[in-house]
Amino acid sequence: MNRNIRNKPYHPLGKVKEAIKNGEYEINETALKNADDHFGWSTVDIEKALQGLKHKHFTSSKRHFTNPDLWVDHYRANGLMGENVYTHFHFDGAVLIIESLKRR
């Protein structure tokens, strides 16, 4: 068994959506740039898209490459706001950190 990969989300999707709803999130610069370059999405569009994630979009949860105490959940969603999207994120305390958002 690989202790660095999980087959179910580490972070409940409800908690992720609640953090977005409450504005308790950060989007890193690369994710913001990719969302704009790949989809023409603003921050509001990113919020809407991530609110549309479903459990079936989950692919894996992996330990963060620079901080193995953090688990990063990975999702791939086809047709999310009309786009095929790959994203991954984790929590740093109560704040959701969106690390990646790009075309799948």
Side-chain angles (χ1 to χ4, degrees):
M1 182 168 105
N2 188 335
R3 294 179 188 245
N4 294 316
I5 299 174
R6 295 170 44 105
N7 293 324
K8 58 185 188 176
Y10 188 81
H11 310 288
L13 199 49
K15 181 180 175 184
V16 171
K17 291 180 178 187
E18 189 69 21
I20 293 166
K21 178 182 166 191
N22 293 334
E24 297 168 340
Y25 70 90
E26 294 176 9
I27 307 169
N28 77 17
E29 277 188 51
T30 303
L32 274 173
K33 182 176 179 349
N34 286 341
D36 183 40
D37 290 350
H38 294 206
F39 314 119
W41 287 356
S42 67
T43 302
V44 172
D45 296 320
I46 294 169
E47 289 175 359
K48 267 199 240 179
L50 294 182
Q51 288 292 354
L53 284 177
K54 298 183 181 344
H55 293 286
K56 70 180 183 179
H57 298 139
F58 174 78
T59 59
S60 65
S61 188
K62 300 176 184 175
R63 291 190 187 271
H64 195 278
F65 64 96
T66 60
N67 182 350
D69 292 334
L70 297 176
W71 284 91
V72 181
D73 288 347
H74 298 251
Y75 285 77
R76 289 189 177 140
N78 291 331
L80 191 63
M81 290 182 46
E83 302 288 351
N84 295 336
V85 178
Y86 168 77
T87 186
H88 59 82
F89 45 77
H90 68 277
F91 278 88
D92 185 359
V95 177
L96 176 68
I97 308 296
I98 302 164
E99 292 188 333
S100 179
L101 195 72
K102 58 188 172 185
R103 188 172 314 279
R104 211 188 118 182

